[in-house]
Amino acid sequence: MDEPVSLPFAGLEDALGWLDSHINFEAQMPSRRALPTLDRMRALTALLGEPQDSIPSIHVTGTNGKGSTSALATTMLMAKGLTVGTFTSPNLNAVAERLARDTQPIDDASLTDVLTELALLEALLPERPTRFEVLTAAALSWFASEAVDAMVVEVGLGGTWDSTNVVHGDVAVLTNVSFDHTDVLGPTLEGIAADKAGIIEPGSRVVVGEMAPDLLDIVVGRAEAAGAASIWVAGRDFGCTSNRVAVGGRLITLWTPGGHYDDLLLPLHGAHQGANAAVALAAVEAFFGDPLAPDLVEEALAAMRVPGRLEVMGRRPLLLLDGAHNAAGMAALGDALNEEFAVDGVAVAVVGMLSGRDPSAMLAPLASAGVTAIVACEPDSPRAMPVAAVTEAARALGLAVHEETDVRDALRLARGMVDADGLVVVAGSLYVVGAARADALASAVPWEEAGR
């Protein structure tokens, strides 16, 4: 009788400790992408039996909107009766959020098991993988073991050399292109667009969101050169023709090559979510090769929840959390504040950023949207921008400035600065939003009572 295999972990805590022992480029981004390679991921998926090859997929990249688009696509696939595995990043509070089956995060036992599997295989690899590569492999392996019908995979960074690019996307989605991670992806929008277009495979059905014409030319050129099966472009082949504020979100009208969908309630805030919904619907229709029934689309959108994206966590005063973490995202947040969240009282923002951002460009949309004061904090990350850089930019914009390094302390200070008819908005980094969200959920004192 064979001796039982000695597992390396006593439980989830040990497994997560092993995971965190790997180099983490999310925490410490390299200044440039040196010798980019997918060799480690390919070696890892080979040992796992190429799980990604057995599951039809939608592969999603873009500067902004990846997470919301992935969530929207997931709910639409589920509405068609499919079991769906979704891999997203980063997480707000727990790493398990990144791996989901039908929107439910992986359970502790399954996460421990799949990390144990990878730990046992690691000794067979020629080179130790990164933390994100381990997580990507964990998702692919778990999805295969769960026998999901389809998977939605969100790119971590860029496209061409991202570890998710071992996935051969049946549908390749590019939501948009703007400046972000220029120290890694390159200094130009053209370079960023080309990198993201690297997820397009021969035979992929390509869906491209709103994009400047010169960048669209790059993406379409890459798609044609790769041998894409079809290329759908926002505004030409699909789109969102009506997008207005409604109680609890937006009322939108969408169209695709095969369908027209009037007056859909999307329980998400921000006009940009209408564009994300259009991209997601086009991606799912490209995936099936047929339009979806209007009642199915209505059902899917009504079920949408995307934590940390213009999420209302409290009222009187209004507490709003948004994961905007670059200039384009903050501009969308500013637009939403003007259109949907104008308040009679004082508006204060709790803001922390990662290094490499332009704090002036990040804060200007908030100032234009009526925010009068900033409480600067620091994300819990080695890449955190010092509060002094945020406060200097805020003062230059004429904003009142306060400093509290810890996110939770910053949130409490901001709460004390507003009355019941005011607004506290938390933004600048998903690390900051995640900490604020965890604090709001765990607080023994309801937000409405915290300032009394």
Side-chain angles (χ1 to χ4, degrees):
M1 184 174 179
D2 292 336
E3 290 292 323
V5 176
S6 177
L7 299 179
F9 308 131
L12 181 60
E13 185 176 351
D14 283 352
L16 293 178
W18 171 80
L19 173 67
D20 291 340
S21 71
H22 294 77
I23 188 168
N24 185 357
F25 285 139
E26 290 177 295
Q28 294 181 311
M29 190 74 68
S31 60
R32 61 179 59 86
R33 196 193 295 270
L35 298 176
T37 179
L38 289 173
D39 289 349
R40 291 184 300 271
M41 270 306 300
R42 288 180 176 136
L44 196 47
T45 56
L47 290 174
L48 291 168
E50 309 296 357
Q52 72 280 6
D53 291 347
S54 63
I55 309 170
S57 62
I58 296 176
H59 199 184
V60 183
T61 190
T63 303
N64 289 305
K66 296 189 301 292
S68 295
T69 300
S70 296
L72 286 156
T74 295
T75 61
M76 292 181 199
L77 291 171
M78 289 171 57
K80 280 281 283 185
L82 301 189
T83 299
V84 186
T86 310
F87 179 59
T88 58
S89 61
N91 53 274
L92 286 176
N93 299 119
V95 72
E97 298 166 17
R98 301 186 183 210
L99 291 71
R101 179 185 182 275
D102 286 351
T103 75
Q104 297 304 304
I106 187 172
D107 62 274
D108 289 354
S110 295
L111 183 55
T112 302
D113 287 346
V114 73
L115 291 178
T116 297
E117 174 188 37
L118 293 169
L120 293 170
L121 291 175
E122 187 174 57
L124 303 177
L125 295 171
E127 183 181 357
R128 201 169 197 231
T130 68
R131 183 177 185 273
F132 190 75
E133 287 168 341
V134 171
L135 284 170
T136 304
L140 299 176
S141 179
W142 184 57
F143 294 159
S145 69
E146 291 290 299
V148 299
D149 301 311
M151 60 182 178
V152 178
V153 178
E154 177 188 347
V155 166
L157 175 65
T160 303
W161 302 110
D162 188 74
S163 66
T164 65
N165 209 23
V166 295
V167 172
H168 306 293
D170 295 84
V171 179
V173 177
L174 288 83
T175 59
N176 50 58
V177 173
S178 58
F179 285 112
D180 201 9
H181 301 299
T182 53
D183 49 348
V184 179
L185 298 180
T188 68
L189 288 176
E190 292 79 8
I192 295 171
D195 189 282
K196 293 183 185 301
I199 71 166
I200 299 170
E201 302 275 348
S204 291
R205 284 147 277 169
V206 179
V207 174
V208 186
E210 297 173 359
M211 201 170 293
D214 56 334
L215 302 181
L216 179 61
D217 288 343
I218 292 171
V219 173
V220 169
R222 290 295 183 101
E224 291 174 345
S230 61
I231 306 170
W232 291 357
V233 176
R236 185 190 73 187
D237 303 296
F238 67 91
C240 178
T241 56
S242 177
N243 186 348
R244 57 189 188 274
V245 178
V247 176
R250 313 290 302 186
L251 198 63
I252 61 175
T253 294
L254 305 178
W255 63 279
T256 64
H260 198 273
Y261 309 88
D262 291 311
D263 294 335
L264 301 166
L265 177 61
L266 177 63
L268 301 176
H269 298 287
H272 58 285
Q273 294 291 9
N276 290 336
V279 170
L281 177 58
V284 173
E285 293 197 352
F287 180 85
F288 287 114
D290 283 305
L292 302 186
D295 59 341
L296 185 149
V297 177
E298 182 178 14
E299 171 193 341
L301 294 189
M304 275 304 304
R305 301 292 183 272
V306 186
R309 274 73 169 184
L310 282 169
E311 182 181 17
V312 176
M313 292 295 294
R315 300 183 184 276
R316 297 190 55 79
L318 187 62
L319 173 60
L320 187 66
L321 309 183
D322 190 59
H325 57 277
N326 53 41
M330 292 293 268
L333 170 58
D335 289 343
L337 293 179
N338 278 319
E339 185 182 18
E340 298 187 48
F341 297 105
V343 295
D344 294 329
V346 173
V348 176
V350 174
V351 180
M353 306 177 194
L354 297 181
S355 60
R357 312 301 188 198
D358 179 345
S360 295
M362 295 272 283
L363 294 175
L366 298 182
S368 298
V371 170
T372 58
I374 298 290
V375 181
C377 60
E378 290 185 7
D380 183 14
S381 167
R383 296 165 54 207
M385 179 182 292
V387 292
V390 179
T391 58
E392 181 181 356
R395 287 194 182 98
L397 290 167
L399 296 166
V401 176
H402 305 268
E403 293 185 3
E404 283 287 355
T405 301
D406 183 79
V407 176
R408 295 158 189 83
D409 292 338
L411 189 60
R412 287 170 177 76
L413 176 59
R415 174 62 185 88
M417 295 167 61
V418 301
D419 293 325
D421 58 354
L423 163 70
V424 174
V425 57
V426 182
S429 164
L430 280 169
Y431 291 98
V432 171
V433 166
R437 190 173 193 274
D439 186 72
L441 290 172
S443 177
V445 180
W447 175 253
E448 288 80 359
E449 300 177 6
R452 294 179 184 174

